[in-house]
Amino acid sequence: MEKKKWILFMTLAVFIAGVTFFNIYLNRNISQTTAAKQEAISKETLQEEKSGT
């Protein structure tokens, strides 16, 4: 019985660690994508201002 508890604990610990690292990875990718889109919009706005005036 003690061995089953140990295996269950380790399985849950590995699962939680995996989900945590996956969330960190997704958050980093979303942040980079958002920053790139924001930069593109800023450049486009600046170009429109330059050509408009």
Side-chain angles (χ1 to χ4, degrees):
M1 190 69 174
E2 189 67 30
K3 189 174 184 180
K4 286 184 181 180
K5 286 183 182 179
W6 178 250
I7 291 173
L8 179 61
F9 173 75
M10 290 305 292
T11 302
L12 288 174
V14 169
F15 177 75
I16 291 171
V19 169
T20 302
F21 285 118
F22 184 65
N23 281 334
I24 291 169
Y25 169 76
L26 288 180
N27 187 26
R28 189 169 291 169
N29 277 353
I30 289 170
S31 296
Q32 289 175 351
T33 302
T34 304
K37 286 181 182 178
Q38 195 172 20
E39 186 178 341
I41 290 171
S42 296
K43 285 182 180 179
E44 185 177 308
T45 305
L46 287 172
Q47 287 176 350
E48 287 176 0
E49 287 178 359
K50 283 182 180 180
S51 63
T53 54

